[in-house]
């Protein structure tokens, strides 16, 4: 096995000789004039490259996962490895991913560009500002916020907004807990009306969610205009369009709307675009990026954040229904360590073989597999391999797969790149070729709000019942008043459990889902029932990752994780 | 004269067929592989294109101005027109400008890419996010601020910073007056230590000033590490380096350090890079950009913000001394309207011929011309032409120039492009060829702080004396304690008057300059005596410009000014 110190992801990334991005574009059939270069190794893909016919015929592969441990189970790494392997098998494949959030790069979590020999490159640029998409969203969001505060102190065209009802905060892509709760507008009459407010991290902006669901600039303006701001003193709802904000906001977002082309370690195309979180938003890259991948290749591998209950459910019921997409297969990323965790093994012991805990944890995997079938989608289990996995443990999962008649393969893209995922790729191709059941969404958007929430809670999470706090009941009434009850549901829930209690591991049953409140994302076009405490602005740890990040005179970066 | 509605700057910009930026780079002798493209019409220029020998030999032309009216006197338009004209005369010329700040684009002021037929293009992109430089500075600044607040609540490695002494604010490139004065860290123990703070606009960040004075990534890290944060409870000064912040900050700034290449209306090269304000910082583009222009062409036209007393004084005493640069000529941008304003004509009457007011305003021009000569630099007067200027008024300025033995030319680049500035260009070439006096700075950096302030106040502003408020005297002691008294001086002063009183027009004499406090920009490497009220975060007007900005389905932008 390993005898020397392992290479870091950055070490591996810096060893790879990148191809000019024009060469990668050629693999997608695009000439240099059809892309917009951002340096030598990144490019934006104009929207006119989307081909609706190709999208209809494409093979969309959704990579999801079981309920993860805090470290995550490696969906991005599996997605990239699988894409490399499909290309090795002669299938023209593009992996379509989310952009990393900059804040966590300097905190604990680090970047999000895959790992080992399954990475997207240049990882430094992708993890830092990339092509400025997040910054553009931040500017558009904060312009709207400035227009709101400008209006409430304006004498000329004051809309009569009641500052106490304003739900729109500001955003910043920095982990900065001191900005969660602030008082703004202090300093006298020239500097605004004092009121409570705060900052969320940029990935939590409603504009991030909007950008991921929109079709084009015209549709974007409509959605931006629909962002709900608050109420006037006489209870009239105010939207962004009432501030004439949507034209300037869309102008700020014109380039951010174009997906970004980069490359994998093995020189295959990767499209990376935007990134809402999956616990508080829909957790997947943009409709435009997915369509772009499907337009330019025959197989498209994409992922949706956290476990199947969060990212995949929202991918299928919000994004797919909205955009007319349907994946032909779901790859269920599974790790031995996470299943042992669900079987009761403490986090610190997960590298020690423990078949007993593993077997106790299997029901979590089983539940997610059952959930995929609710949509008429064939799941394939991908065991994302770690050095600590024992043969005996791996066999337990193969036995389960056999019992359930579900395809399973090891995925070792981290250590071996595409070669490590050839078996998985073959199983995925088989599953696509065998599958002929039509995609079936879990619920219809025009059902009433409580029915939709009930369906997700009981069928996907396994809840016995749903309870609504008084605030949530008031919100239900508001939603009806605003005529927004036909929007789909985007439940904000912990990723650590199928339930809303992070301590209920495995496959919890008999629990009640507690809806505290229901936020309205009228622009994005969904309702957000909040369960538990959802953090919209992370903090930094005692020793932030930033302390180890450095750059030398020649521009070589070190310490990025 | 004009019979139809005049075209807007945006109309003119959108009529121009742009050359691929690779063609513009070729004019500078650069192959496509030597630049980093950002789309088809923008590129970044890597620092290895700087040629120290060429910089020594180059002809640097500084465009300055008399004390401006609130509308500004058109230094950018004059700079671009002059550069076009020099190229028409066969001189290989690059114009080197500051980047516009995004905030004002959506407020009152609009963008800053020249006007009429003297513009830099694509004006939409340059006025919006451009290549992300401002966003990178914002992120680096706000990362440092988050590290500060993270440290003051840390139990592990708390430096003992007294929150009441922290001078570092956060920054955002949005005109948002409600963020000027805020209380952060509310919401309980998990969300920081409550304290007063605020946001400045990004152009006011010390990091903007640092980026404009730095030589390379290594020097940048040193300067970032020197940013002064505040004091511990036992009065020990704390710098950014004490938070190990500089490596991560420089990593965020690696691409922002590279100047941007775009083109003028007539297809000549323009380098645009960064932009600190001239009333609170040094008000000129980066040392790196100026050197890049001088490395790649024979004549380099650049500008420094507001009147000669602000931008040019700082350009000469801070930037030139720091970087070993010396302009061979100063173009003094003059408008008939501004001189009438200095002669007592109200703002609303400036388009009406008024020779009497004009003559009364001439001393303002005379004082700025005398100031240029203090540095041994030949001034050339450029009369930036407006439709309302009468022949008789123009003659008054020509007469003055003759009396003072100073070259003068009309500059009509706004209406006619390079053709309108041919006479100015010829005069500038003559002045450069005639000039052989060595550049002489106004003061030496190693003089004591009060002497340096005194020299600027009396020699440049024309003050009779300088008075220091008690806070300023305390700051002087702090500067000595911190061993920072050998830094140059960057006086924060109104641009509306040569004095610190915006109402004293013309050429005020006998006044006292009142220094309220002296801020320390230890990272940028200068001291900022504050005179009067300086606004570091603008607000939006009752009808923000954003209300008229729009974009259509095809991406065509309207309403940008």
């Amino acid at each position: 096995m390993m005898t020397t110190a392992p290479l870091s992801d950055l070490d591996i990334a810096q060893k790879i000789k990148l191809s000019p991005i024009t060469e990668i574009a050629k693999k997608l059939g695009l000439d240099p004039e059809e892309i917009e270069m951002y340096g030598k190794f990144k490019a934006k893909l104009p929207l006119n490259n989307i081909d609706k016919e190709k999208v209809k015929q494409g093979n969309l592969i959704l990579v999801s996962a079981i309920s993860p441990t805090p470290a995550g189970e490696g969906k991005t790494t599996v997605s990239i490895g699988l894409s490399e392997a499909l290309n090795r098998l002669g299938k023209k494949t593009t992996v379509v991913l989310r952009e990393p959030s900059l804040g966590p790069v300097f905190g604990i979590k680090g970047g999000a560009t895959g790992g080992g020999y399954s990475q997207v490159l240049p990882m430094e640029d992708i993890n830092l500002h990339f092509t400025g998409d997040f910054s553009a969203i931040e500017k558009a969001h904060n312009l709207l916020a400035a227009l709101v505060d400008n209006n409430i102190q304006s004498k000329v065209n004051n809309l009569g907004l009641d500052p106490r009802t304003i739900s729109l905060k500001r955003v910043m892509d920095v982990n900065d807990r001191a900005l969660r709760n602030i008082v703004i507008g202090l300093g006298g009459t020239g500097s605004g009306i004092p009121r409570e407010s705060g900052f969320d991290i940029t990935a939590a902006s409603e504009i991030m969610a909007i950008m991921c669901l929109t079709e084009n600039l015209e549709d974007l303006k409509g959605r931006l205009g629909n962002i709900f701001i608050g109420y006037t003193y006489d209870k009239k709802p105010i939207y962004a369009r009432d501030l004439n904000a949507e034209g300037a906001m869309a102008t700020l977002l014109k380039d951010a709307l174009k997906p970004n082309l980069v490359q994998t370690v093995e020189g295959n195309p990767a499209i990376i675009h935007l990134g809402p979180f999956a616990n508080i938003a829909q957790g997947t890259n943009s409709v435009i990026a997915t369509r772009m991948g499907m337009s330019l290749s025959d197989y498209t591998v994409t992922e949706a954040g956290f476990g199947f209950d969060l990212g995949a459910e929202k991918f299928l019921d919000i994004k797919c229904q909205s955009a007319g997409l349907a994946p032909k297969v779901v790859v269920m990323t599974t790790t031995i360590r996470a299943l042992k965790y669900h079987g009761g093994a403490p986090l610190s012991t997960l590298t020690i073989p423990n078949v007993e805990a593993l077997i106790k944890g299997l029901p979590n995997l089983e539940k997610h597999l059952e959930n995929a079938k609710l949509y008429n989608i064939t799941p394939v289990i991908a065991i994302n391999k770690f050095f600590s996995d024992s043969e005996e443990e791996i066999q337990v999962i193969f036995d389960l797969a056999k019992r359930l008649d579900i395809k399973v393969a090891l995925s070792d893209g981290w250590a071996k790149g595409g070669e490590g995922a050839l078996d998985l790729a073959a199983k995925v191709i088989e599953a696509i070729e065998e599958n002929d059941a039509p995609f079936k969404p879990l619920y219809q958007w025009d059902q009433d709000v409580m029915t939709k929430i009930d369906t997700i809670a009981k069928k996907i999470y396994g809840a016995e019942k749903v309870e609504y706090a008084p605030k949530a009941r008031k919100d239900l009434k508001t939603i009806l008043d605003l005529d927004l009850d036909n929007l789909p549901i985007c439940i904000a829930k912990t990723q650590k459990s199928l339930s809303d209690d992070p301590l209920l591991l495995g496959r919890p049953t008999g629990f009640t889902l507690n809806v505290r409140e229901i936020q309205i994302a009228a622009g994005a076009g969904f309702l957000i029932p909040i369960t538990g405490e959802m953090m919209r602005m992370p903090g930094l740890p005692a020793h932030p990752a930033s302390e180890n990040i450095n750059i030398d005179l020649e521009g070589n970066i070190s310490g990025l994780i």
Side-chain angles (χ1 to χ4, degrees), chain A:
Chain A
M1 303 294 284
M2 300 194 64
T3 51
T4 54
L7 293 171
S8 74
D9 290 346
L10 180 58
D11 292 336
I12 293 169
Q14 289 177 342
K15 279 200 319 179
I16 308 293
K17 180 158 165 45
L18 296 183
S19 302
I21 198 66
T22 47
E23 294 299 313
I24 306 298
K26 268 186 205 156
K27 293 191 178 182
L28 296 175
L30 297 176
D31 289 332
E33 309 81 62
E34 292 175 288
I35 66 173
E36 295 171 11
M37 291 178 69
Y38 275 62
K40 296 189 186 359
F41 306 113
K42 298 167 279 180
K44 283 210 165 265
L45 300 173
L47 270 51
N48 60 11
N49 291 308
I50 291 177
D51 177 338
K52 287 198 173 168
E53 280 312 303
K54 279 280 287 179
V55 173
K56 274 187 204 158
Q57 298 151 17
N59 295 302
L60 182 59
I61 299 158
L62 175 63
V63 176
S64 185
I66 60 169
S67 303
T69 64
E73 303 321 307
K75 280 189 308 295
T76 305
T77 304
V78 167
S79 299
I80 296 167
L82 172 60
S83 181
E84 307 276 42
L86 285 164
N87 275 303
R88 281 172 181 248
L89 294 177
K91 305 295 186 187
K92 194 176 163 188
T93 305
T94 301
V95 62
V96 182
L97 301 170
R98 282 177 289 168
E99 294 182 41
S101 174
L102 185 58
V105 169
F106 297 106
I108 304 177
K109 192 182 157 291
T113 47
Y117 288 89
S118 288
Q119 294 190 57
V120 282
L121 307 172
M123 81 86 106
E124 300 95 319
D125 286 5
I126 301 170
N127 279 322
L128 296 171
H129 310 286
F130 203 20
T131 57
D133 298 338
F134 275 45
S135 287
I137 286 170
E138 199 167 304
K139 287 290 172 305
H141 186 120
N142 292 336
L143 172 63
L144 177 59
L147 291 169
V148 168
D149 278 288
N150 190 53
N151 187 273
I152 60 177
Q153 83 152 20
S154 172
K155 287 178 197 117
V156 182
N157 54 349
N158 197 305
L159 294 168
L161 254 174
D162 180 347
R164 300 164 304 177
T165 69
I166 296 171
S167 52
L168 185 83
K169 295 186 174 184
R170 285 166 178 80
V171 294
M172 183 187 283
D173 201 6
V174 176
N175 285 14
D176 193 346
R177 68 167 72 74
L179 294 181
R180 279 180 199 148
N181 302 288
I182 66 178
V183 172
I184 63 174
L186 300 170
T189 53
S191 296
I193 305 282
R195 66 181 184 90
E196 290 181 60
S197 192
F199 278 72
D200 293 337
I201 193 161
T202 304
S205 166
E206 184 177 349
I207 298 173
M208 180 66 82
I210 288 174
M211 291 283 283
C212 282
L213 286 169
T214 196
E215 308 262 323
N216 55 45
L217 279 167
E218 203 56 45
D219 175 61
L220 175 64
K221 277 193 284 182
R223 289 176 189 257
L224 292 171
N226 284 341
I227 294 174
F228 176 66
I229 307 293
Y231 287 98
T232 62
Y233 284 103
D234 48 6
K235 309 278 183 262
K236 205 173 89 58
I238 296 292
Y239 299 90
R241 59 178 176 265
D242 299 316
L243 295 154
N244 298 316
E246 68 272 26
M249 291 168 74
T251 301
L252 281 168
L253 294 166
K254 73 179 172 69
D255 292 317
L257 203 59
K258 300 170 192 163
N260 307 290
L261 179 65
V262 290
Q263 63 192 283
T264 62
V265 164
E266 298 182 8
N268 289 308
I271 293 175
I272 304 197
H273 198 213
L274 306 178
F277 291 150
N279 48 0
I280 51 170
Q282 79 272 40
T284 167
N285 60 72
S286 72
V287 164
I288 286 173
T290 306
R291 285 181 176 162
M292 188 68 75
M294 296 176 79
S295 298
L296 301 173
S297 50
D298 301 323
Y299 287 73
T300 302
V301 179
T302 192
E303 51 86 48
F306 297 124
F308 188 95
D309 54 325
L310 284 168
E313 188 277 318
K314 293 164 184 175
F315 183 93
L316 297 167
D317 287 316
I318 301 175
K319 177 171 174 174
C320 285
Q321 282 208 60
S322 161
L325 297 169
K328 295 206 172 154
V329 61
V330 166
V331 173
M332 193 66 71
T333 305
T334 303
T335 62
I336 304 286
R337 67 176 185 183
L339 288 177
K340 286 189 282 195
Y341 179 64
H342 285 289
L347 271 177
S348 58
T349 68
L350 297 183
T351 55
I352 303 166
N354 185 343
V355 169
E356 191 188 350
L358 176 62
I359 290 172
K360 275 182 70 183
L362 289 178
N364 185 273
L365 170 58
E366 286 179 74
K367 175 61 178 155
H368 288 296
L369 293 168
E370 289 168 23
N371 284 347
K373 289 182 177 171
L374 290 174
Y375 295 87
N376 259 356
I377 303 177
T378 314
V380 173
I381 301 169
I383 306 171
N384 186 21
K385 201 168 172 324
F386 282 73
F387 283 114
S388 54
D389 299 345
S390 74
E391 291 297 321
E392 197 185 354
E393 287 173 321
I394 292 169
Q395 191 56 47
V396 167
I397 306 197
F398 273 83
D399 291 347
L400 174 82
K402 190 166 181 192
R403 178 160 61 79
L404 298 175
D405 191 24
I406 285 177
K407 294 180 205 299
V408 60
L410 282 177
S411 180
D412 200 7
W414 189 89
K416 297 179 186 164
E419 171 140 21
L422 286 171
D423 187 32
L424 175 63
K427 296 274 167 49
V428 163
I429 295 169
E430 273 175 38
I432 289 175
E433 286 169 0
E434 289 167 10
N435 175 40
D436 53 4
F439 166 67
K440 193 180 75 178
L442 187 73
Y443 61 83
Q444 300 301 317
W445 287 13
D446 60 7
Q447 291 176 297
D448 75 77
V449 176
M450 286 175 82
T451 303
K452 288 181 280 196
I453 295 173
D454 216 58
T455 304
I456 298 168
K458 291 179 180 164
K459 289 200 180 169
I460 299 292
Y461 304 162
E464 189 174 307
K465 62 180 197 292
V466 181
E467 273 183 9
Y468 294 85
K471 170 81 170 79
R473 295 197 171 272
K474 204 178 141 209
D475 293 336
L476 281 168
K477 196 181 158 304
T478 303
I479 289 161
L480 273 176
D481 287 350
L482 296 175
D483 212 12
L484 295 173
D485 51 319
N486 60 347
L487 293 179
I489 303 299
C490 184
I491 295 181
K493 182 181 78 70
T494 178
Q495 69 270 24
K496 293 181 181 165
S497 167
L498 275 155
S499 76
D500 57 352
D501 176 355
L503 300 178
L504 292 181
L505 301 179
R507 180 180 184 160
T509 53
F511 64 89
T512 299
L513 187 81
N514 292 289
V515 177
R516 287 195 297 127
E517 59 174 311
I518 306 177
Q519 294 178 358
I520 297 169
F526 50 66
L527 305 172
I528 311 172
I530 307 281
T531 70
E533 286 295 331
M534 283 296 118
M535 186 72 80
R536 287 174 163 270
M537 173 55 96
L540 289 168
H543 287 287
S546 67
E547 294 185 354
N548 301 315
I549 295 173
N550 211 339
I551 189 166
D552 68 16
L553 185 59
E554 278 72 43
N556 301 305
I557 294 170
S558 54
L560 269 186
I561 51 169

